[in-house]
Amino acid sequence: MNLKIYNNSSDPRATQKSLSLVADLSAVQLTDQTSVENPSFLLDYNASYINANYVYCPELKRYYFITGREIRNGNQMILNCHVDVRMSFRSQILASDIIAD
């Protein structure tokens, strides 16, 4: 599974985020029993990932906020995430016809 790790400097409520790429990984696994809305990604440890706060998973076609980090065995880490629906479905949201009263 692929995963792009970012630093996000935008307000979480914004539909367009200001992202700085930290890493583009290809050897990422999902942990046991995870959900699409709140996945946990298992990857090789790298100190530069500690301060990252945002990820994109092309296979799941979603952007995620990193909500927690766990270090395993000193050489692996788990990123616990929660879906960012505004960014994940941005094109559909912007294409919607909305009437506000």
Side-chain angles (χ1 to χ4, degrees):
M1 179 169 282
N2 297 314
L3 195 69
K4 293 185 180 205
I5 300 175
Y6 297 99
N7 282 322
N8 171 23
S9 59
S10 302
D11 185 314
R13 297 170 294 179
T15 56
Q16 180 63 43
K17 304 292 194 279
S18 177
L19 304 175
S20 300
L21 185 65
V22 174
D24 191 353
L25 307 174
S26 60
V28 176
Q29 300 174 355
L30 290 170
T31 60
D32 297 335
Q33 296 186 356
T34 193
S35 69
V36 173
E37 293 81 16
N38 297 295
S40 295
F41 298 102
L42 177 66
L43 52 139
D44 291 334
Y45 175 81
N46 185 313
S48 65
Y49 307 159
I50 296 293
N51 293 322
N53 60 1
Y54 205 73
V55 298
Y56 175 68
C57 181
E59 286 83 1
L60 300 176
K61 297 181 177 134
R62 284 176 172 71
Y63 289 87
Y64 296 94
F65 296 107
I66 297 174
T67 57
R69 296 157 196 80
E70 301 172 33
I71 308 298
R72 270 196 176 171
N73 304 325
N75 61 352
Q76 290 182 318
M77 70 186 307
I78 295 174
L79 297 179
N80 298 307
C81 301
H82 179 70
V83 69
D84 179 1
V85 292
R86 289 176 180 94
M87 186 71 166
S88 296
F89 302 104
R90 182 177 184 271
S91 60
Q92 293 94 324
I93 292 169
L94 295 176
S96 298
D97 290 329
I98 298 172
I99 299 173
D101 186 18

